Amino acid sequence: MATMKAVRIHRFGEADVVQVDEIETPVAGDGEILVRVRAASVIPVDYKIRRGQYPPVRQEMLPITQGRDFAGTVEALGKGVDGFRQGMVVYGMLPPERGAFAEFVAAKAAGTAPAPQGQDYVQAAAVPLAALTAWQGLFEHGGLKAGRHVLIHGGAGGVGHFAVQFAHAIGATVLATVSGQDADFARELGADRVIDYKVERFEDVARDIDLVYDLIAGQTQERSWSVLKQGGCLVSTLTEPSQEEAVRRRVRALRYTARPDGAQLAEIARLIEQRKVRPVVDTTFPMAEAATAQDHLEKQHVRGKVVLTC
């Protein structure tokens, strides 16, 4: 039986519950590819799962391997897989029950794509979940198009820095709330108007917004209703917006969860190859230091993504 190293949790808790185990290497099933993982990014859901604060992952599912994003090379193809070959560099996003913090992953081919050319494994691993979250939020759910105005809350973070770039790339007018230390960074990404939330109220700046993309929730979401134009939309990754308030203001409002999508990853790769979008990596850690990486993401000011190397 072939084995591999994987970062797993056997119980919910703080960073000390994260451990490196020796487990059986997965096999590519029908419609799957086996990937040798070279890098995997860390996301807030990782420490939420670890603490038992992510409802889809329950106690009876433990132990589980952590991680959602990966970049690596194709080792083997399952039945019915086309468009991939052994040795190809790929990137993708896994569902919560399959972990990317491991030497190998078996991933659905439909949720995987060739990695952007010109990017190393670390840069590629920084993309999938954050970029898919931003893509689906802006375009599928928010209906953002060229010429429209979007307000992005949290424009310098993992998802936010992709959202700013995607919106700019299609010709939308982009307003972004960030801390003052990230103002220049947000401008470099393509924000037309940067709002330092510590010294400015975004309600005093934003008017007739077509789409509010909410990555903060709480009072930020509540205060966002007033800046939406009639027929606009509030999209959140965190908290379900009030449908009563949406009806009252004649706007749409929703919360969503991103899903794996290889076709969208291929489109995102093209934008990266065309240099219209770039992944930004804040820090890297070895895979064995996954717990430290989670603490860094949660407790430090992070610009872009935190990535593990394997």
Side-chain angles (χ1 to χ4, degrees):
M1 179 185 72
T3 62
M4 66 173 185
K5 290 182 171 60
V7 176
R8 302 205 297 174
I9 57 170
H10 292 252
R11 58 188 175 86
F12 296 130
E14 295 304 314
D16 60 351
V17 305
V18 178
Q19 64 185 64
V20 179
D21 293 339
E22 192 84 15
I23 65 173
E24 186 175 354
T25 303
V27 175
D30 292 354
E32 296 181 341
I33 56 176
L34 182 67
V35 178
R36 170 67 170 93
V37 178
R38 301 295 181 179
S41 77
V42 184
I43 61 174
V45 167
D46 293 322
Y47 56 76
K48 292 177 183 178
I49 289 174
R50 189 196 72 208
R51 287 190 175 137
Q53 296 171 345
Y54 188 68
V57 178
R58 303 176 302 279
Q59 180 72 42
E60 60 268 23
M61 297 168 66
L62 303 184
I64 61 164
T65 302
Q66 290 199 281
R68 303 288 299 278
D69 284 335
F70 66 88
T73 53
V74 176
E75 293 290 307
L77 306 177
K79 291 181 181 179
V81 173
D82 296 313
F84 295 90
R85 65 180 185 280
Q86 194 171 15
M88 178 183 282
V89 180
V90 297
Y91 72 154
M93 165 188 164
L94 298 172
E97 66 272 13
R98 296 195 182 193
F101 297 172
E103 292 179 302
F104 295 90
V105 297
K108 294 289 186 183
T112 310
Q117 295 182 24
Q119 306 291 301
D120 61 24
Y121 292 117
V122 168
Q123 292 168 316
V127 175
L129 191 146
L132 286 171
T133 300
W135 187 277
Q136 292 167 16
L138 294 177
F139 306 131
E140 283 190 1
H141 301 293
L144 187 65
K145 292 179 171 52
R148 294 186 178 176
H149 290 66
V150 57
L151 171 61
I152 299 169
H153 290 308
V159 175
H161 89 286
F162 281 114
V164 170
Q165 293 179 85
F166 290 157
H168 175 74
I170 68 157
T173 297
V174 184
L175 295 81
T177 61
V178 298
S179 65
Q181 61 191 305
D182 289 323
D184 289 340
F185 175 60
R187 291 188 190 97
E188 291 170 8
L189 295 174
D192 298 287
R193 178 64 164 90
V194 175
I195 303 166
D196 179 353
Y197 67 85
K198 293 183 178 179
V199 299
E200 285 186 288
R201 288 177 59 82
F202 64 83
E203 305 96 310
D204 296 334
V205 177
R207 292 286 188 278
D208 295 325
I209 297 297
D210 296 285
L211 171 63
V212 171
Y213 188 48
D214 170 34
L215 302 169
I216 303 298
Q219 284 300 308
T220 297
Q221 183 182 109
E222 291 303 311
R223 290 163 50 204
S224 294
W225 295 108
S226 65
V227 307
L228 278 170
K229 68 190 300 184
Q230 193 173 116
C233 184
L234 190 160
V235 175
S236 177
T237 61
L238 297 171
T239 304
E240 182 70 37
S242 166
Q243 294 307 304
E244 292 79 6
E245 190 69 13
V247 169
R248 189 174 76 83
R249 293 183 179 269
R250 298 181 183 178
V251 299
R252 292 191 302 117
L254 60 99
R255 177 196 174 276
Y256 74 104
T257 300
R259 69 182 192 284
D261 191 309
Q264 291 178 357
L265 283 175
E267 291 187 59
I268 291 165
R270 282 191 286 274
L271 288 175
I272 293 172
E273 290 164 357
Q274 294 166 3
R275 300 188 178 182
K276 294 180 179 179
V277 172
R278 62 185 175 97
V280 176
V281 176
D282 177 271
T283 321
T284 62
F285 294 86
M287 190 77 74
E289 296 180 16
T292 303
Q294 289 176 32
D295 274 349
H296 177 81
L297 177 62
E298 182 181 14
K299 298 173 183 176
Q300 303 300 318
H301 178 80
V302 172
R303 179 184 293 176
K305 296 285 294 184
V306 175
V307 179
L308 303 178
T309 57
C310 184

